[in-house]
Amino acid sequence: MRNLFHTPFCAVFRNEVLLNSKRVAPYAMALLCAGNGLLWWGWGPATGHGWAVNADFFIAGVLPVYSFLTLPLFTAAFMADPVNRDFRTGVDPLIFSKPISRGEYLLGKFLGNFFVLACCQSAFVLTWFVLQAVPKQGLITQDWKVFPYIKHFLVFVVISHLGLAAFYFAVGVLLAMPSSYTVWVLVFIRSTSLIRQSY
Amino acid sequence: MLRINKLTKTYSNRIQALREVSLNIEPGMFGLLGPNGAGKTTLMKIVATLLDPDSGTIEMDGVDLVLRKDKAREMLGYLPQEFGLYPTLTAEQTLNYFAKLKGVWDAKERYSLVEALLERVNLSSARKQRVGGFSGGMRQRLGIAQALIGEPQLIIVDEPTAGLDPEERVRFHNLLSESAGEDTVVILSTHIVSDVSNLCSQLAVIRKGEIIATCTPQSAIDKLKDSVWQAAVPREHISALKARYQVISVQMAGGLARLRVISKGERPGEEFTPTEPALEDYYFDLVSKSDEALSSRR
């Protein structure tokens, strides 16, 4: 059987992680997410309502808001550009003259960047996870928990953003970069106006 | 042996880039000469599997390179005319990535391969340096290093010395000639005649999508034996000489024009002395004859 780690897909995946590790954006995003987590923890609705900050329902309630109000812009920034970047840089003829199929290349690009995106997004829940150990006046903390963070992060952030990431990635591949942002902005404006109307 | 048979390519804007191009290329250095826009890059891209031809076949050691792209890419090393590299990666990381894409999975093997390649292209001291800070010559050498990964049987280099300083050019020439093994076909596509005359054992001239000549550099030079003349003449004489003879080059020096003229069997004037023909003379002669033939066809 073919070793997954010995495939062009894996080479592209790992190279994307390496390339992102040398960019400022992922670190900035992780910091913003961690800061966001800090605000939701100490100055969020839990303080006013007397909810426990590590309660399952609180995590499940906050994560969708975090996921869909703040993250789509980052998802667009991360996922729409990787393929275009290769073509802009001019590295594409060097890649495609090697034995790699377009499918392997695109999958490696997509999953490599999505992995980095998910790692950055996880700064939010990691901050919450660590802050369980920090006492704060007026804040209730239940016994130490692990599973709710993983479960809700996977469901509300990773899985829900996979579809969104695939959309941005496809738009980014098919259209030039500015156009994909335009599409995103239009989708964002339309969806927020629909949400407002529904209330 | 690489066999290209009746290759045709027309772009969507109706520009016919290649017209039934056929070539048989033996192992060794092969020069593809032609002016800008002659179809060299299109031909190189098709051989490098990056572009599909409209018709025609390319075969290398029994493998159809048009139909079996995966197999073709395993035996191919390609350095395009214009290429980029990830600026934030180091030279070592760049080669490491391309080696993986070429199927070198064993980490120890890959490490020693990358080390050997960096040594070969004289970039060992810059292995930990980011590619974004490389000079043009260093980038070009890293480019040829990635093309040499996996001991390719077919190496294609498209206009590799354009923009390089004379020292880097010589270094690059040496690298290329070292890369041409006994069973390796190296295609050097260029408009710089001296590159071909210095390096190649065979050559073809392409003009407006058609191969107009295939020969060896020596046989090309032999064709112009006793036909090339040179002289220093007053500037006013140039137009009269141009009307009667084929003027290959004009260089102004000390108020006089140093002319190189092709004239078979007839001395163009008393001031002219015979001179040894060069590959450039053959090339310019061929290109101008081809232009005349094309204009008479119209």
Side-chain angles (χ1 to χ4, degrees), chain A residues 182-193:
Chain A
T182 311
V183 170
W184 184 84
V185 168
L186 290 173
V187 169
F188 184 77
I189 292 167
R190 183 75 190 131
S191 55
T192 46
S193 68

Side-chain angles (χ1 to χ4, degrees), chain B residues 61-73:
Chain B
D61 297 335
V63 178
D64 188 323
L65 302 191
V66 177
L67 297 176
R68 300 277 327 266
K69 285 197 170 75
D70 51 338
K71 195 78 189 153
R73 288 169 184 172

Side-chain angles (χ1 to χ4, degrees), chain B residues 11-287:
Chain B
Y11 287 109
S12 53
N13 56 5
R14 292 188 179 178
I15 290 174
Q16 192 169 17
L18 297 176
R19 300 158 200 250
E20 300 209 333
V21 168
S22 295
L23 284 169
N24 287 334
I25 304 176
E26 303 279 351
M29 291 276 296
F30 183 90
L32 183 67
L33 267 175
N36 292 333
K40 299 187 299 293
T41 297
T42 301
L43 180 58
M44 294 302 98
K45 277 186 176 173
I46 292 173
V47 180
T49 72
L50 296 175
L51 201 62
D52 285 323
D54 297 334
S55 63
T57 58
I58 309 168
E59 194 192 291
M60 172 103 184
D61 297 335
V63 178
D64 188 323
L65 302 191
V66 177
L67 297 176
R68 300 277 327 266
K69 285 197 170 75
D70 51 338
K71 195 78 189 153
R73 288 169 184 172
E74 282 172 19
M75 53 169 79
L76 174 76
Y78 177 50
L79 178 65
Q81 183 179 356
E82 281 169 10
F83 68 95
L85 297 159
Y86 296 116
T88 52
L89 295 192
T90 64
E92 202 170 39
Q93 287 167 333
T94 303
L95 287 184
N96 202 38
Y97 174 49
F98 288 122
K100 282 185 199 166
L101 291 183
K102 204 68 195 270
V104 186
W105 295 113
D106 184 74
K108 277 185 185 170
E109 189 191 338
R110 198 169 59 241
Y111 179 80
S112 48
L113 172 73
V114 168
E115 291 298 298
L117 282 169
L118 286 170
E119 187 72 47
R120 198 167 161 187
V121 298
N122 203 18
L123 285 175
S124 290
S125 55
R127 63 155 71 80
K128 300 281 181 204
Q129 205 176 310
R130 285 185 172 201
V131 171
F134 274 18
S135 68
M138 289 165 89
R139 268 169 44 86
Q140 210 68 354
R141 277 186 274 145
L142 190 61
I144 193 70
Q146 67 78 33
L148 296 175
I149 293 171
E151 292 175 5
Q153 291 160 266
L154 172 61
I155 300 170
I156 299 168
V157 281
D158 194 0
E159 305 275 8
T161 57
L164 293 189
D165 63 44
E167 194 187 337
E168 281 287 3
R169 232 176 111 196
V170 171
R171 194 179 277 169
F172 199 85
H173 283 179
N174 294 340
L175 247 173
L176 274 182
S177 46
E178 283 165 19
S179 312
E182 280 180 16
D183 302 320
T184 316
V185 172
V186 181
I187 306 178
L188 168 66
S189 158
T190 184
H191 64 275
I192 302 169
V193 185
S194 60
D195 281 3
V196 172
S197 98
N198 290 343
L199 294 168
C200 301
S201 53
Q202 310 163 72
L203 70 95
V205 181
I206 186 168
R207 177 87 173 143
K208 296 192 172 156
E210 283 179 272
I211 298 291
I212 54 174
T214 49
C215 55
T216 65
Q218 193 53 52
S219 67
I221 290 167
D222 288 347
K223 280 178 192 168
L224 291 181
K225 207 164 170 53
D226 303 325
S227 307
V228 183
W229 306 81
Q230 67 178 12
V233 297
R235 184 179 253 178
E236 311 83 73
H237 294 186
I238 298 175
S239 48
L241 283 163
K242 273 188 174 171
R244 288 180 60 202
Y245 301 102
Q246 196 177 333
V247 178
I248 297 293
S249 67
V250 183
Q251 285 174 340
M252 296 307 295
L256 291 173
R258 289 177 63 85
L259 294 187
R260 232 175 136 83
V261 169
I262 291 181
S263 169
K264 288 184 180 169
E266 186 196 349
R267 190 175 184 172
E270 288 204 348
E271 63 273 44
F272 280 88
T273 54
T275 184
E276 283 299 308
L279 191 60
E280 279 190 348
D281 301 323
Y282 171 77
Y283 174 71
F284 289 124
D285 181 40
L286 197 69
V287 167

Side-chain angles (χ1 to χ4, degrees), chain A residues 40-53 58 136-140:
Chain A
W40 277 95
W41 168 79
W43 296 269
T47 45
H49 293 87
W51 296 330
V53 281
F58 182 65
K136 186 177 179 283
Q137 203 176 10
L139 211 67
I140 303 161

